[in-house]
Amino acid sequence: DTAVSQTPKYLVTQMGNDKSIKCEQNLGHDTMYWYKQDSKKFLKIMFSYNNKELIINETVPNRFSPKSPDKAHLNLHINSLELGDSAVYFCASSQRGTLNQPQHFGDGTRLSIL
Amino acid sequence: GESVGLHLPTLSVQEGDNSIINCAYSNSASDYFIWYKQESGKGPQFIIDIRSNMDKRQGQRVTVLLNKTVKHLSLQIAATQPGDSAVYFCAENVSFSGGYNKLIFGAGTRLAVHP
C-alpha cells in the first residue's frame, strides 16, 4: 500500500552510462516531482509534471530527461552520468487545487557513480 | 545545545524535554509552509503544515509557529522521544500562475534525542 514508490532503491554505475529511475504514486494525485538531495542533505526540486505536462524545470542539465506516461508515473532518465550526479533522488506527488496540499515523498533512489 | 558549522546543524536534547527547531525562510510571497521529518534511508515525511493566514497550528505533540514579520518558522516537539531523532526540514511553498506551486526547502536540522 506504498503511496509513492521508486525503483531501484540503490543504483551503482560507471561514469558515462545511461540509467533510469522509475516512480509511481497510487494517491490519485495529478502533480509529480523529482528532487535531488546532495551529501549535505540539501533538497532541491528538479522537475514538476502536472497531468503529463512539464511545469517546472529548474535549469537541470539536459542530460536529465523526465518522462510521464500518465499522471501516476514520472520516470527520470539520465544520460552520460557524471560523478556530480551522485546523490539521492526523491520522487514526490501532490494534488493541485485551490488550497495547497503537502507533497508526499518516496523513499529515494541512492545513485552512486564510480 | 545547537551547533552550526560545515555539517548539518544538530540539536541535542534529553528524552522527555521539549525541542524547538527554527527555520528562516526567504520569500515574502510564500503562502504555505510545511515541516518534514526525514529518518535515515527514508524520504521526507509530512509532520505539520501552516498557511500564511495563521501564526500557530498544533498537532499531536507538535506545534508550528509562523512569524511573517521576520520570516521565521519554528517547530516545537513536546516530550521528545528517541523516535523523534531525525533530520527536520522546513519548506516554503511558492505559488505561481496556473495554480501550480513549488517547495523550497531549508537546510535541515538534525535532532538527536539522548536517553
Side-chain angles (χ1 to χ4, degrees), chain B residues 44-106:
Chain B
Q45 178 188 1
F46 171 81
I47 303 174
I48 191 168
D49 57 4
I50 188 167
R51 302 190 194 283
S52 58
N53 61 353
M54 303 169 71
D55 52 23
K56 180 178 180 179
R57 189 160 189 230
Q58 287 185 288
Q60 190 176 12
R61 281 201 309 118
V62 294
T63 301
V64 54
L65 298 178
L66 174 63
N67 185 330
K68 293 184 287 292
T69 303
V70 295
K71 292 190 281 190
H72 183 268
L73 202 61
S74 68
L75 177 71
Q76 301 177 2
I77 305 174
T80 314
Q81 301 167 0
D84 295 327
S85 294
V87 177
Y88 289 80
F89 293 95
C90 65
E92 56 179 312
N93 181 82
V94 178
S95 298
F96 49 98
S97 62
Y100 304 111
N101 61 84
K102 67 177 182 181
L103 288 181
I104 300 171
F105 280 81

Side-chain angles (χ1 to χ4, degrees), chain B residues 23-39:
Chain B
C23 177
Y25 65 92
S26 55
N27 194 331
S28 301
S30 295
D31 55 3
Y32 176 59
F33 304 86
I34 310 173
W35 279 100
Y36 284 93
K37 172 186 180 184
Q38 186 178 20
E39 296 173 291

Side-chain angles (χ1 to χ4, degrees), chain A residues 59-75:
Chain A
T59 59
V60 178
N62 57 16
R63 295 183 297 105
F64 290 79
S65 50
K67 282 193 172 47
S68 181
D70 54 61
K71 73 173 192 176
H73 295 84
L74 181 62
N75 304 323

Side-chain angles (χ1 to χ4, degrees), chain A residues 9 31 33 35 37 40-45 48 50 53 55-56 58 90 94-97 99-108 110, chain B residues 6 8 31-32 34 36 38-46 49 51 87 89 93 95-96 98-107 110:
Chain A
K9 189 169 174 66
T31 306
Y33 312 81
Y35 287 82
Q37 186 172 49
K40 295 183 176 60
K41 296 286 191 185
F42 185 64
L43 259 170
K44 189 173 190 310
I45 189 166
S48 169
N50 178 267
E53 182 187 352
I55 302 300
I56 296 172
E58 289 284 306
F90 287 99
S94 69
Q95 184 60 35
R96 174 180 161 221
L99 287 179
N100 293 123
Q101 299 295 326
Q103 294 178 19
H104 297 259
F105 285 77
D107 281 339
R110 183 175 293 277
Chain B
L6 293 177
L8 207 58
D31 55 3
Y32 176 59
I34 310 173
Y36 284 93
Q38 186 178 20
E39 296 173 291
S40 181
K42 299 281 190 182
Q45 178 188 1
F46 171 81
D49 57 4
R51 302 190 194 283
V87 177
F89 293 95
N93 181 82
S95 298
F96 49 98
Y100 304 111
N101 61 84
K102 67 177 182 181
L103 288 181
I104 300 171
F105 280 81
R110 186 180 302 281

